[in-house]
Amino acid sequence: MSENQAQPPLEDIVSLCKRRGFVFRTSEIYGGFANSYDYGPLGAELLHNIRNLWWQEFVTLRPDMVGIDSQILQHPETWVASGHVGSFHDPLVEDTVTHKRYRADHVIEAWVQKAKEENPASFQDFSVEDLSIEEMEAFLSENQVTSPDGNPLTAPKTFNLLMETELGVISGEKYKVYLRGETAQGIFTNFRQILDTTRVTLPFGIGQIGKSFRNEITTGQFVFRTIEFEQAEIEYFFNPETTHWQELFQSWQESMWNFVTKTLGVREENLQWRQHSDKERSFYSKDTWDLDYRFPFGWKELWGIAYRTDYDLKAQQTHSGQNLEYRDPHTGETFLPHVIEPAVGINRLLLMVLTDAYWVDQENNRTVLRLSPRAAPYKAAVFPLLKNKPELVSKAQEIFAGLSRQFPVVWDDRGNIGKRYLYQDEIGTPFCITVDFETLENGTVTLRHRDTTEQERLHADEVADWIKSLLQ
Ligand code: ATP
């Protein structure tokens, strides 16, 4: 059995996203733009929900967290200090005939995957993450690995992922700046101001959601890997003398797991933890784990968590010459706190949520997005049974107006009820509310459930509270 058998093919998800307005190719009218996607009306709502749920769970509901919003363009020294200018690299190989470029580790991974399918006993403990660039070069040449088009490849060389641009109005006097490669550094550079302006005491965390940019060359993974993407990162600061980092690390792992399974409703069997080996881990990190999701193209990193010690604060302190130390209000001791960093991409969360929710209901001949009500773009759809009966339409409008003040709902009066249900199933709307002739008699509406297609009657006045109870 293939490891991805339970998951829908990526093409089906891409097709649904396009058909129903979740995700479009960027610059479609010009033939598209590599590794870039725009979000349509439903994708924008879904992103918004995921973002808000993350912020609510990790910032609003926690007394030990605050949030910030720093700039995409920052002082270029930020990225020298963080090590991104010097070593934010991926290994690149080029097809010597077509000149298409690939990530060497991805080419090797695909080659190993194929070898394993032919001989399951081969490459048992192989991990491409453990290979240095020299080892990748040796692997490619020893195994005569070719490009996906079957052509010879160049030796791998490193290329920097940071995207550059220029600032300044006078030509010749412009200076180089970088589009941020992660949101985290904005947290470290604002650390002093946050200490000075808020009432936080260790241990505490700072969270941020925002756009990051990377010069990604790998294509074909839809919104999993894009040039421009949204990150949700937390830096959780603590005193390593008084806090057991292992316990803290584990509690963050539990919080990440709960967010994905309980808040976003993703199935546990599609998630697994993977610890980075000593070779793969950054030199400053004491422990790093990835929470992997079973994407349609295999198990891949969804969310990373790393114990980064005081590496980043120390680097920003050294480069800026500013004191970034924390002063303990009880003991008066001053020191640089250590940090645990859970970092996730909002767009990867979206792809995971869509993949996990996608279901072809053979029995009822329909495609359904079984999104959790909290993630679903619309919580309910409101229909008048017939478009040409003013008394039905005005009652339905009244219900729509009442509900839409409380949560996102959608109106539909096109076509017959069966078609409206199928459309709502495909976009993941958990409930459809139909105003029919019985509504005019006794005030009840038909409430139809997306997943079971079951219908029941509920008084129109009770619908809002009933849906709200499911959103808790
Ligand atoms: P990968 O190994 O997949 O390139 P990474 O280890 O470089 O990811 P981090 O730098 O740890 O990723 O970034 C934190 C999170 O940001 C990742 O877990 C992922 O969810 C998200 N992310 C990183 N790069 C991208 C990208 N190019 N497109 C979309 N999301 C991304």
Side-chain angles (χ1 to χ4, degrees):
M1 188 172 113
S2 131
E3 63 164 1
N4 306 323
Q5 204 164 318
Q7 297 301 58
L10 183 64
E11 307 85 79
D12 293 1
I13 295 167
V14 174
S15 157
L16 175 84
C17 283
K18 193 174 171 183
R19 194 165 70 241
R20 294 301 180 214
F22 281 91
V23 183
F24 305 127
R25 281 205 306 166
T26 295
S27 307
E28 176 78 50
I29 61 166
Y30 293 104
F33 191 59
N35 290 339
S36 303
Y37 294 90
D38 292 343
Y39 292 82
L42 292 165
E45 291 288 345
L46 186 52
L47 278 180
H48 178 79
N49 293 345
I50 293 172
R51 212 182 275 132
N52 285 353
L53 288 167
W54 183 96
W55 191 271
Q56 185 190 34
E57 193 143 325
F58 296 115
V59 181
T60 315
L61 291 176
R62 291 186 63 131
D64 58 346
M65 288 283 306
V66 291
I68 62 158
D69 194 340
S70 68
Q71 294 288 283
I72 287 168
L73 296 177
Q74 299 173 25
H75 195 291
E77 277 304 306
T78 309
W79 306 105
V80 178
S82 67
H84 283 80
V85 171
S87 58
F88 192 38
H89 291 134
D90 270 346
L92 173 130
V93 284
E94 194 173 303
D95 180 314
T96 52
V97 179
T98 64
H99 301 292
K100 282 191 209 156
R101 292 169 164 193
Y102 303 95
R103 283 251 310 254
D105 51 333
H106 291 173
V107 173
I108 294 174
E109 211 179 3
W111 190 90
V112 168
Q113 184 61 33
K114 214 164 151 225
K116 274 188 183 163
E117 278 162 22
E118 281 160 20
N119 175 11
S122 64
F123 294 99
Q124 280 297 322
D125 295 321
F126 179 85
S127 167
V128 72
E129 279 88 7
D130 290 342
L131 299 186
S132 64
I133 192 150
E134 294 77 22
E135 287 165 333
M136 284 187 203
E137 182 172 358
F139 187 100
L140 290 166
S141 104
E142 275 162 29
N143 295 291
Q144 297 185 345
V145 179
T146 55
S147 76
D149 294 323
N151 301 317
L153 291 164
T154 59
K157 54 180 183 213
T158 53
F159 81 101
N160 197 293
L161 289 168
L162 269 189
M163 296 190 74
E164 294 173 7
T165 186
E166 288 182 322
L167 277 188
V169 283
I170 305 167
S171 126
E173 287 184 19
K174 293 187 172 169
Y175 64 97
K176 188 157 72 177
V177 291
Y178 305 95
L179 303 188
R180 69 178 169 201
E182 60 173 35
T183 56
Q185 293 308 318
I187 296 180
F188 297 117
T189 54
N190 280 297
F191 186 67
R192 175 85 267 145
Q193 279 102 306
I194 291 163
L195 289 183
D196 292 347
T197 55
T198 68
R199 309 276 300 156
V200 290
T201 52
L202 289 182
F204 74 91
I206 305 172
Q208 164 158 235
I209 298 181
K211 286 279 177 89
S212 293
F213 299 80
R214 293 183 189 178
N215 216 341
E216 301 278 6
I217 50 159
T218 305
T219 52
Q221 293 181 323
F222 197 39
V223 297
F224 177 83
R225 188 180 301 287
T226 48
I227 293 169
E228 178 180 339
F229 57 100
E230 209 171 4
Q231 281 188 312
E233 297 197 285
I234 293 165
E235 300 303 331
Y236 198 82
F237 299 93
F238 62 97
N239 180 350
E241 300 291 323
T242 53
T243 300
H244 280 286
W245 73 263
Q246 286 94 339
E247 279 170 29
L248 190 59
F249 199 93
Q250 214 179 339
S251 82
W252 272 106
Q253 283 184 294
E254 277 160 28
S255 302
M256 291 156 65
W257 184 271
N258 287 341
F259 181 75
V260 175
T261 56
K262 299 208 170 84
T263 307
L264 297 179
V266 164
R267 285 165 292 169
E268 294 198 349
E269 68 260 31
N270 291 329
L271 291 163
Q272 68 183 18
W273 284 105
R274 187 181 73 83
Q275 187 174 26
H276 284 210
S277 67
D278 292 347
K279 266 179 111 178
E280 179 186 1
R281 214 173 47 235
S282 316
F283 69 92
Y284 48 77
S285 168
K286 282 216 173 132
D287 200 8
T288 302
W289 289 71
D290 287 345
L291 178 55
D292 287 351
Y293 176 74
R294 187 151 51 146
F295 284 99
F297 35 83
W299 289 98
K300 297 274 173 216
E301 172 180 341
L302 169 77
W303 200 332
I305 173 167
Y307 173 19
R308 299 175 64 92
T309 67
D310 60 357
Y311 175 79
D312 305 271
L313 277 181
K314 200 183 265 169
Q316 295 297 350
Q317 175 169 273
T318 308
H319 271 75
S320 65
Q322 301 292 315
N323 180 4
L324 300 185
E325 286 182 328
Y326 173 84
R327 185 184 165 81
D328 189 296
H330 304 298
T331 63
E333 185 199 0
T334 54
F335 59 96
L336 282 177
H338 280 210
V339 81
I340 285 174
E341 178 193 80
V344 70
I346 297 288
N347 316 79
R348 269 192 203 176
L349 287 173
L350 175 133
L351 181 58
M352 170 195 69
V353 160
L354 289 174
T355 306
D356 221 71
Y358 189 95
W359 174 49
V360 178
D361 177 6
Q362 308 281 4
E363 202 181 315
N364 295 300
N365 198 16
R366 62 185 187 137
T367 302
V368 187
L369 275 188
R370 289 187 289 188
L371 294 171
S372 80
R374 294 170 83 184
Y378 302 121
K379 311 309 171 195
V382 181
F383 313 148
L385 179 66
L386 299 170
K387 192 181 172 174
N388 55 3
K389 294 280 177 228
E391 59 278 33
L392 294 182
V393 173
S394 73
K395 180 68 191 166
Q397 279 169 340
E398 189 189 304
I399 292 173
F400 178 86
L403 294 179
S404 60
R405 251 178 251 121
Q406 305 177 64
F407 35 76
V409 286
V410 61
W411 172 267
D412 193 1
D413 58 11
R414 277 174 60 179
N416 64 43
I417 287 285
K419 284 210 178 111
R420 294 183 210 165
Y421 283 156
L422 290 182
Y423 181 89
Q424 297 302 328
D425 290 343
E426 275 204 355
I427 66 170
T429 310
F431 311 105
C432 292
I433 296 154
T434 306
V435 170
D436 49 27
F437 293 105
E438 212 179 316
T439 316
L440 304 180
E441 281 166 26
N442 60 17
T444 64
V445 292
T446 304
L447 186 90
R448 186 257 193 189
H449 296 252
R450 175 194 68 200
D451 299 347
T452 58
T453 72
E454 271 165 22
Q455 300 186 9
E456 61 178 305
R457 290 206 76 87
L458 204 66
H459 198 278
D461 295 344
E462 291 165 4
V463 173
D465 284 344
W466 188 81
I467 295 177
K468 259 197 251 162
S469 71
L470 296 171
L471 298 175
Q472 295 305 315

